[in-house]
């Protein structure tokens, strides 16, 4: 990541402050390496595995199901309500 003039020194100061607060976490980040063969250009590469993707998809579907159900009910029940309202008005005359 490119860093502007003086930005590298600022990042070193921030890293030093964070390492002073939690040395174990800083060491964990220093030892971290990408898994071997993780090339985003590969067809098998994915930032999430299949099960995580399925859970995310089901969560998004469940979030969308509520508003979609309301719209469907309004489209289906709305005309029925209007028909019943017209029938009541016709009886009242």
């Amino acid at each position: 990541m490119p860093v502007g003039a003086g930005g590298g020194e600022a990042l070193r100061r921030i890293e030093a402050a964070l390492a002073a607060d939690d040395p174990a976490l800083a060491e964990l980040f220093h030892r971290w390496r990408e898994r071997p063969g993780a090339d985003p250009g590969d067809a098998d590469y994915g930032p999430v595995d299949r099960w995580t993707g399925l859970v995310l998809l089901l969560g998004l579907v469940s979030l969308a199901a509520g508003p979609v159900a309301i719209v469907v009910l309004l489209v289906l029940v709305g005309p029925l309500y209007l028909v019943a309202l017209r029938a009541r008005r016709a009886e009242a005359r």
Side-chain angles (χ1 to χ4, degrees):
M1 173 171 98
V3 178
E9 181 59 35
L11 288 176
R12 282 188 280 283
R13 282 195 311 269
I14 292 169
E15 183 181 3
L18 291 174
D21 288 344
D22 192 351
L25 182 63
E27 179 61 28
L28 180 69
F29 279 115
H30 283 286
R31 286 187 319 211
W32 181 81
R33 299 285 180 263
E34 269 192 54
R35 63 183 170 99
D39 181 14
D42 288 344
D44 293 338
Y45 176 78
V48 295
D49 63 1
R50 184 171 291 144
W51 291 109
T52 305
L54 182 64
V55 168
L56 290 172
L57 180 66
L58 289 175
L60 291 173
V61 167
S62 66
L63 285 174
V68 168
I70 291 171
V71 170
V72 168
L73 284 175
L74 288 175
V75 168
L76 294 177
V77 176
L80 293 175
Y81 176 75
L82 292 175
V83 168
L85 186 63
R86 287 183 186 148
R88 275 190 235 144
R89 286 184 182 166
E91 285 179 4
R93 291 184 189 169

